[in-house]
Amino acid sequence: MSSVMRDLRFAAFQLWRHPAFTASVAITLAIGIGANTAIFTVVQSVLLAPLPYRNPDRLAFLSTHWADSGRNTPRMTGPDGVDLRDQAQTLEAVSLYSGGNEGVQLKDHGVYTAVSWVDPDFSRVFDLAPIAGRLFSDSESHRAALVGEHFAEDNFGSAQGAVGQVIHIETEAIEIVGVLPAGFDFPEKTEVWEAASARPESSSRTAFNYRAVALLRSGVNFDRAQTELSQIERRLQAAYPAENRNKEFLALPLKSAITGQARTTLLFLWAATAVLLLIACMNVSHLQLIRALERRRELAIRRALGSSLAQVLRPVLLEGLLLAVAGGIAGICVAWPLVHLLVSVAPRELPRAGEIHLSLPVLGFTIGISILAALLSSLLPAWRASQVDAAEALKQNIARGMNLKGASRWRNGLVVAEVAGTFVLAVGAGLLLRAMLDLMSRDLGYDTRQILVVDTDAPAHAEADYDRAVQQFYELFPKLQSLPGVRGAAGVMGLPMGDYGSNGYYEVLGNAPPAPDNRPWALFTVTSPNYFRTMEISLKTGRDFNARDSYQGPSVAIISESLARQSFGTGNPIGRQIRCGLDTPKWMTVVGVVSDVRQASPADQPGPVLYMPMAQHPYYANQIHVVLRTSVTPLSIMRPAEHIIRAAIPAAALRFTTMDRMVNDSVATQRFRADLIIGFAAVGLLLAMVGVYGTIAYTVRQRTFEIGVRMAFGAERAAILAGVLRGAGRLALLGVGIGLPVSILLARAASPMLAGVRPSDPISLITAACILLITALTAALIPGYRATQVEPMSALRVE
């Protein structure tokens, strides 16, 4: 032990004597370890940590699957949910819920927040315990609510101060009976949970209006629960052959259901940081190898004086360990702000973002990868040190071009590996960037520029409330359009990229009845007159909605080009009749056809859309997006627009954004991936540049005598520089050649993320190769220039 401690002190002293080397290695490791630690913090918090609820391993999410088509929906019908609740013995409790962003009216204003309607079993599934007040009872449907701790503090000062307060949701007076702790916000950042009936309002077995969660009984696993659900679904198929044919129920762990969409992105980013760590370790190994070569005389003398192989290797390994510890500590310092940066730039839909923090498992992971980094970066230098021949090493003279056999091959091999790893990151960055540019350049079917969007919720509950809301909006639009800088104003339920919308089956009068499994489907959108002109959606044929399309007037509709092709082929749809299951069985006359739009995001393909006038569908017209086409900066008219809307509808809850922002938010996940991979690739390029520079600089130093001889015999300085640059270019091309097939294979595995871009996209591959080649040549310029400045006589006199 005293010998080990002596060697440890000696290793620390050696590192202290070479501060440039020590700092370079520590910083390089800090970058690789810090990036890995930050990404693992996100992975651990989102994917690995148990849900912050009671009995997290027994919580299940119930969904519906169709055996014939393989299609899944994360929803259930009300009757199916009740049947599972009543018949499943493996499930201790089943809760149906629904909701979204809603306007909540307080005493003096309205606020937008996430509201969920939950049945009494919701508290049983999650074993909820309010921090103030109580849970609601079975008899308090639509009369009581629970709120989150943050909502209570923001609006009522404290949790206890919120209990007993009355809020209004869709004109219903709701009493707050309890406050839930800040750590609970299921589902989807909900802040208000309104009591709903244990028996769902929808009795249709084809209307998937609800989501469902369940609590497995103690001792029951998911396989056993799934077996029982399969038995129940067969009974329901026999009892309801038309509605439940091919329908299956799935029970998934709730954590998997919550994190499923984020899993691929996070694991992809984690793999990218692993590549970055390998590049950093190769860089450090390269630096240590050069240092070990420079110390070969010292090592040879120690072997000649009788030191054992272990005594020779130990200082080299201990130096690597000390450097890894320093890199690990620095890596944690890098990871701390990087985690906060990741959370701040993460897409809004990233689940469990509020739970992301450095923890003991993360610190344990950091220690583990620090040790791994020490082993990876020290093994090769230590092995090379063990190959030192004392007699040969004592005769070495770097200045005369003499060195250990094979040393240059190892150095060059490490640089080639660095370039190959960096090429993989650069190709990934190029492909994701190309995919993003492709998404953002797609024709959406409307012009996103200069549009202010106002989420507007006018409270309504009874039929008279909805009629009044429609009338208020129709009177509001001309006032908004009269604002200076406003070119058009309209309202819509079903705005592209928006929160509100509906969809379902429809039928066309006169068409042959379709097969039950092949009924036509479309998005349902409710709009005011002037909507298409405001959004600059092209009217292909027919007319827009107008004031004559009132509730008492003939029912009309406008269809998209995709719907026209789907149901009318090449025929003229104008005058044909169509109906859907939105809210009325009335037949609607088609009066117009408009161009297709991309609805959910630029990545979506345009699909069939059925547009209906707000005045004829008032039950879907109180919670809408008001869109204002402007000739000025959209947000500059936010205050005047808010003043007009609040004067017209005082109780309305409002939220402002722009159409450009909504489109950007719809591709936030793709941008998040691209930004991080581009950052990793940039760091990889920097490390590769350092590696190339170190190798070329050492090679030039090693060849000083040779260069002096060549220049003494008349070699031109340009030829010397060209030779140095050729060596760097050769290393870069070898790295690109090795990284090319690896990049293509990995890109094919990540092809679902590359919407519109081929994994073997030649532009991305060529660009990445050119960047690596330019990087290598740039790194070689300084040592190449130094080589041209060698004085022949000085080089020949070196001993």
Side-chain angles (χ1 to χ4, degrees):
M1 182 58 67
S2 63
S3 176
V4 171
M5 294 304 298
R6 185 170 59 251
D7 284 343
L8 187 63
R9 287 193 298 271
F10 178 73
F13 176 71
Q14 289 288 85
L15 294 178
W16 179 262
R17 285 186 57 199
H18 298 84
F21 167 79
T22 304
S24 299
V25 172
I27 291 172
T28 301
L29 284 177
I31 292 172
I33 293 173
N36 264 269
T37 302
I39 294 295
F40 181 72
T41 298
V42 179
V43 170
Q44 194 274 335
S45 300
V46 176
L47 301 183
L48 304 180
L51 293 174
Y53 312 137
R54 298 183 184 182
N55 306 310
D57 296 333
R58 293 166 53 197
L59 294 174
F61 183 82
L62 307 181
S63 61
T64 306
H65 173 79
W66 280 266
D68 56 336
S69 64
R71 185 166 60 92
N72 290 288
T73 178
R75 295 179 176 273
M76 301 198 75
T77 70
D80 288 338
V82 172
D83 288 333
L84 293 181
R85 177 193 295 156
D86 295 342
Q87 300 180 34
Q89 300 300 311
T90 56
L91 305 181
E92 185 174 317
V94 175
S95 174
L96 301 179
Y97 65 91
S98 60
N101 288 317
E102 296 283 339
V104 176
Q105 281 70 43
L106 305 175
K107 287 182 178 179
D108 55 353
H109 66 286
V111 296
Y112 253 104
T113 190
V115 178
S116 292
W117 285 267
V118 301
D119 61 29
D121 276 341
F122 188 81
S123 58
R124 292 181 56 205
V125 169
F126 291 99
D127 195 13
L128 297 179
I131 59 172
R134 60 175 176 82
L135 300 172
F136 50 70
S137 64
D138 295 358
S139 61
E140 293 179 298
S141 174
H142 297 291
R143 294 191 294 109
L146 302 170
V147 299
E149 185 176 359
H150 291 317
F151 183 89
E153 292 174 347
D154 291 343
N155 295 287
F156 304 104
S158 67
Q160 196 61 49
V163 176
Q165 298 286 342
V166 175
I167 58 177
H168 288 79
I169 304 175
E170 295 185 343
T171 73
E172 291 182 321
I174 310 294
E175 181 186 356
I176 298 174
V177 298
V179 178
L180 298 181
F184 185 84
D185 60 359
F186 184 87
E188 299 175 355
K189 300 183 173 71
T190 294
E191 291 192 284
V192 178
W193 295 264
E194 182 182 339
S197 172
R199 292 290 163 175
E201 296 175 1
S202 173
S203 59
S204 170
R205 291 187 179 272
T206 59
F208 294 83
N209 297 325
Y210 303 95
R211 296 177 186 263
V213 287
L215 178 67
L216 273 61
R217 292 192 184 277
S218 180
V220 173
N221 58 33
F222 278 88
D223 289 338
R224 182 178 165 191
Q226 185 60 59
T227 300
E228 185 181 32
L229 294 186
S230 299
Q231 296 170 352
I232 295 173
E233 76 197 19
R234 285 193 288 271
R235 291 199 295 267
L236 293 179
Q237 288 174 7
Y240 308 100
E243 297 91 343
N244 281 55
R245 183 171 55 178
N246 297 315
K247 190 189 292 185
E248 298 177 349
F249 306 125
L250 301 179
L252 301 173
L254 183 59
K255 185 169 73 172
S256 298
I258 291 174
T259 62
Q261 293 184 342
R263 178 179 298 273
T264 302
T265 292
L266 294 181
L267 294 181
F268 173 75
L269 294 176
W270 196 15
T273 57
V275 174
L276 184 63
L277 179 62
L278 284 175
I279 294 172
C281 288
M282 287 184 285
N283 195 297
V284 169
S285 185
H286 176 257
L287 293 174
Q288 288 185 303
L289 182 61
I290 291 177
R291 173 160 163 70
L293 292 173
E294 292 177 341
R295 295 175 59 190
R296 63 193 181 283
R297 284 176 178 265
E298 169 205 330
L299 299 177
I301 292 172
R302 296 182 68 182
R303 291 296 302 273
L305 292 177
S307 295
S308 66
L309 180 61
Q311 289 173 322
V312 171
L313 291 180
R314 199 160 52 207
V316 179
L317 291 174
L318 288 175
E319 276 193 23
L321 183 61
L322 288 174
L323 289 170
V325 170
I329 295 173
I332 293 175
C333 296
V334 170
W336 189 275
L338 193 55
V339 168
H340 291 284
L341 177 62
L342 286 174
V343 174
S344 66
V345 302
R348 185 177 55 182
E349 60 268 22
L350 179 67
R352 309 182 67 183
E355 302 171 38
I356 297 174
H357 63 282
L358 287 170
S359 59
L360 287 178
V362 172
L363 294 178
F365 172 79
T366 302
I367 294 171
I369 61 172
S370 298
I371 295 172
L372 178 64
L375 292 174
L376 289 176
S377 59
S378 301
L379 282 178
L380 179 59
W383 178 75
R384 290 297 300 171
S386 71
Q387 305 301 306
V388 170
D389 180 85
E392 182 180 353
L394 290 172
K395 293 184 293 183
Q396 299 302 313
N397 189 331
I398 291 177
R400 290 187 177 273
M402 303 166 65
N403 203 351
L404 287 177
K405 186 183 299 184
S408 62
R409 287 200 300 271
W410 283 109
R411 295 196 310 274
N412 292 343
L414 286 170
V415 172
V416 168
E418 279 187 69
V419 172
T422 304
F423 181 75
V424 171
L425 289 179
V427 169
L431 290 172
L432 289 174
L433 182 60
R434 285 265 295 160
M436 269 299 302
L437 294 175
D438 178 74
L439 285 179
M440 299 309 294
S441 64
R442 289 182 178 180
D443 181 12
L444 302 180
Y446 55 91
D447 188 356
T448 66
R449 296 170 298 177
Q450 304 295 105
I451 295 182
L452 180 69
V453 179
V454 190
D455 294 3
T456 311
D457 187 351
H461 185 67
E463 181 177 351
D465 299 329
Y466 289 101
D467 291 338
R468 182 174 60 253
V470 171
Q471 185 62 34
Q472 288 173 326
F473 280 124
Y474 272 53
E475 293 173 355
L476 175 66
F477 299 141
K479 296 178 183 178
L480 290 172
Q481 191 160 340
S482 67
L483 282 172
V486 176
R487 294 163 43 200
V492 56
M493 188 287 296
L495 180 70
M497 321 295 164
D499 293 332
Y500 319 132
S502 185
N503 60 70
Y505 300 115
Y506 68 90
E507 57 181 317
V508 177
L509 186 65
N511 282 10
D517 298 333
N518 196 33
R519 289 179 292 173
W521 176 95
L523 297 171
F524 300 153
T525 298
V526 176
T527 77
S528 71
N530 199 38
Y531 168 72
F532 300 111
R533 188 172 69 85
T534 300
M535 292 292 293
E536 296 188 6
I537 298 173
S538 300
L539 182 65
K540 297 298 183 180
T541 185
R543 66 171 179 86
D544 194 356
F545 299 132
N546 55 45
R548 294 190 301 274
D549 300 320
S550 62
Y551 189 76
Q552 293 77 20
S555 297
V556 297
I558 294 174
I559 61 175
S560 67
E561 289 182 293
S562 289
L563 193 150
R565 288 192 298 269
Q566 177 174 278
S567 293
F568 301 102
T570 58
N572 183 12
I574 302 298
R576 297 289 299 274
Q577 291 191 304
I578 190 171
R579 71 176 176 182
C580 66
L582 180 67
D583 60 347
T584 174
K586 291 181 181 180
W587 289 98
M588 300 174 287
T589 302
V590 177
V591 297
V593 179
V594 296
S595 59
D596 287 333
V597 300
R598 298 181 189 268
Q599 188 69 23
S601 82
D604 278 2
Q605 292 300 318
V609 185
L610 179 60
Y611 297 93
M612 294 159 277
M614 285 175 54
Q616 295 182 352
H617 301 271
Y619 288 98
Y620 287 86
N622 72 303
Q623 190 176 29
I624 64 171
H625 293 286
V626 175
V627 289
L628 306 177
R629 169 77 62 181
T630 70
S631 57
V632 296
T633 303
L635 292 178
S636 67
I637 62 169
M638 183 176 71
R639 294 304 176 199
E642 181 180 14
H643 178 74
I644 290 176
I645 296 173
R646 292 205 181 279
I649 314 173
L654 306 178
R655 186 172 55 185
F656 292 83
T657 187
T658 64
M659 200 69 226
D660 282 331
R661 175 66 181 271
M662 293 175 68
V663 173
N664 287 334
D665 287 346
S666 72
V667 294
T669 298
Q670 292 92 325
R671 179 175 287 105
F672 180 65
R673 286 195 298 253
D675 289 346
L676 288 186
I677 295 299
I678 289 171
F680 296 155
V683 174
L685 281 172
L686 179 62
L687 295 178
M689 180 179 285
V690 171
V692 172
Y693 172 82
T695 291
I696 299 301
Y698 186 82
T699 302
V700 167
R701 216 175 97 201
Q702 179 186 348
R703 295 174 57 196
T704 300
F705 181 80
E706 173 202 333
I707 292 171
V709 170
R710 292 181 61 190
M711 295 185 72
F713 280 90
E716 297 289 337
R717 296 183 187 273
I720 300 295
L721 178 61
V724 173
L725 295 181
R726 273 198 303 273
R730 188 162 49 247
L731 295 178
L733 290 176
L734 282 172
V736 169
I738 294 172
L740 181 61
V742 177
S743 299
I744 294 176
L745 288 175
L746 293 178
R748 286 178 179 170
S751 57
M753 304 180 190
L754 307 176
V757 178
R758 290 183 300 161
S760 57
D761 175 53
I763 295 177
S764 299
L765 296 175
I766 293 172
T767 302
C770 291
I771 290 174
L772 264 295
L773 185 59
I774 292 171
T775 299
L777 294 177
T778 302
L781 275 177
I782 294 178
Y785 174 77
R786 288 176 180 167
T788 65
Q789 304 305 303
V790 171
E791 289 294 334
M793 295 308 297
S794 299
L796 294 174
R797 284 198 298 266
V798 171
E799 291 295 334

